[in-house]
Amino acid sequence: GGLALGAFVHFRGVAAFYLSGSHDRARVCKRVWMPAPAAAPLIVASTSFRPRPQRRVGPRVGGRSRVGDGMGASCSTSGATSAAPPDVITTAAGQKFERIPPAEDGGKIVVALGKFDAMHRGHAELARRASKMGAPILMSFGGMAEVLGWEEKLPVVAPEDRARVLEMWKAACEGKTVREHVIPFADIRRMSPEEFVSTLKDIGVGGVVAGANYRFGFKAAGTADTLKDLGEKLGVDVSIVDLLPANEPGDEGVYPAGYENTPQVSSTRVRACLAAGDVEQAARLLGRHHSLVLRVAGAGVDGRFPTSAATNQYPAIGRYAAIVVGADGGRTPTTAEVTDREIVLEGWGETNGGNDDANVCVEFVGPAADA
């Protein structure tokens, strides 16, 4: 959800900490078109998909934040420089947070703020801008759905696939590794804008990047201008990034009821495209083909996966030209058929070479030739 570059979420009037741009509540979409500059070139992944089993994560202790490798989870450090115990700081309000581990090169920690569900072109631009200022980190806020009573949804990007996407961004980020840091939403939801920025500084943040419609703080009190003013006051560098227009000629389609056709690149727009089966437009928004990660356990020998095997959002019912990405970097063209009960990879049983990996990664390229 959320519709700014950082996939900012509007909490529908809930008295809570807001991170919002345009709101993401469901509504019927209308035809929208606006001219836009040429889309960024589509990245065809050169990195391999390295399946890993889902890690079971224990409950958060003591209101601490964790560097993480997936949305909404608190987990062990990803990309940390050492296995040393975390450095825990206590704020003036008595809350405990873990300090962000330093960058390997000792550079200034710069966080891009957002929800980062789809990891789309706008998010990549935030990471690129952060990399110009220092050591880039995507900072998100876990457990929002649980705290606010929202319906849980499959993520747009599978937790197992986020590292691969970040690796694809590396070249545009001056060769720097983009890390992720997840703070429990419950720990910051009632902070004032100044308390929030002060907490960021306390945990080691030296710079912040956000989209132009970024809102934050209790009752959405803070704007992008507020963030710049607080940065100047507290000694934190702030960079605000303009939103990226989403539409190109041919992208003005009507999407299913309940999905918003936002005029800017957004996770909500990506979800709408997938729900409509428009994987080609989704690819233009993402800057790469949409990838689906399926758990191999329980799959039939004929390449039939129950939809419950999907770890992230799959496209609408239909037949698609697709590519299976192997752990060795191999790319095998196939046809993927999505039904209301299963996802079928034609020929997968014969071509997977006895693949015993925990997961299989499938890129959706476009409609199948016979669709």
Side-chain angles (χ1 to χ4, degrees):
L3 307 178
L5 280 178
F8 312 124
V9 181
H10 181 121
F11 294 153
R12 308 186 183 101
V14 177
F17 186 96
Y18 287 72
L19 299 160
S20 71
S22 304
H23 53 73
D24 69 344
R25 60 180 165 230
R27 69 183 184 187
V28 177
C29 304
K30 299 180 180 179
R31 292 182 179 271
V32 178
W33 183 83
M34 59 186 291
L42 186 69
I43 299 174
V44 176
S46 58
T47 53
S48 59
F49 173 70
R50 301 188 181 279
R52 62 178 175 81
Q54 291 275 8
R55 283 186 291 178
R56 195 174 294 275
V57 180
R60 176 175 53 83
V61 178
R64 299 175 183 175
S65 62
R66 292 292 236 180
V67 171
D69 66 350
M71 288 300 304
S74 296
C75 54
S76 59
T77 298
S78 172
T81 55
S82 72
D87 181 10
V88 178
I89 63 99
T90 303
T91 67
Q95 290 179 282
K96 294 184 183 297
F97 292 91
E98 289 179 13
R99 191 182 302 275
I100 298 176
E104 291 184 357
D105 63 0
K108 177 174 62 180
I109 297 296
V110 180
V111 297
L113 298 174
K115 194 164 178 286
F116 304 111
D117 181 23
M119 302 181 79
H120 52 59
R121 287 195 295 118
H123 296 152
E125 177 60 21
L126 289 177
R128 188 190 69 81
R129 181 71 66 87
S131 70
K132 288 184 172 297
M133 298 167 61
I137 292 179
L138 305 184
M139 177 174 282
S140 53
F141 304 90
M144 283 188 265
E146 181 181 0
V147 171
L148 299 173
W150 294 354
E151 178 185 359
E152 292 281 356
K153 297 179 180 178
L154 287 173
V156 175
V157 179
E160 302 88 344
D161 203 28
R162 295 181 71 86
R164 184 175 72 110
V165 176
L166 293 176
E167 185 67 21
M168 292 166 66
W169 292 359
K170 195 170 183 178
C173 292
E174 304 185 355
K176 296 178 181 179
T177 297
V178 182
R179 295 184 290 166
E180 296 200 84
H181 190 89
V182 182
I183 291 180
F185 171 69
D187 290 356
I188 52 87
R189 65 178 299 193
R190 296 188 179 279
M191 285 184 178
S192 69
E194 183 163 351
E195 287 172 333
F196 175 65
V197 177
S198 179
T199 297
L200 293 184
K201 184 176 181 180
D202 287 344
I203 64 175
V205 173
V208 174
V209 177
N213 67 346
Y214 190 67
R215 300 297 297 269
F216 67 106
F218 188 61
K219 296 186 177 181
T223 65
D225 287 338
T226 308
L227 187 58
K228 288 190 291 186
D229 291 342
L230 289 172
E232 184 174 354
K233 176 181 178 179
L234 298 173
V236 176
D237 294 336
V238 174
S239 180
I240 302 300
V241 180
D242 290 335
L243 307 182
L244 295 183
N247 293 319
E248 297 178 31
D251 286 352
E252 60 271 22
V254 176
Y255 296 97
Y259 289 89
E260 188 173 359
N261 184 13
T262 69
Q264 71 265 26
V265 175
S266 67
S267 296
T268 299
R269 176 70 175 255
V270 174
R271 284 188 179 276
C273 290
L274 295 176
D278 190 351
V279 297
E280 292 172 305
Q281 185 182 165
R284 289 192 288 274
L285 299 172
L286 294 169
R288 64 185 186 278
H289 298 309
H290 175 63
S291 297
L292 174 66
V293 175
L294 297 164
R295 300 183 191 91
V296 172
V301 295
D302 53 355
R304 295 180 178 273
F305 295 78
T307 53
S308 60
T311 66
N312 61 307
Q313 184 176 347
Y314 45 88
I317 292 173
R319 289 174 59 79
Y320 301 90
I323 298 172
V324 175
V325 182
D328 60 356
R331 300 171 61 80
T332 305
T334 187
T335 296
E337 181 173 8
V338 179
T339 74
D340 60 346
R341 293 187 177 182
E342 61 184 5
I343 298 160
V344 183
L345 304 181
E346 294 185 1
W348 184 81
E350 295 85 32
T351 62
N352 69 332
N355 188 340
D356 59 356
D357 289 327
N359 305 304
V360 60
C361 180
V362 185
E363 293 183 358
F364 286 81
V365 178
D370 59 356

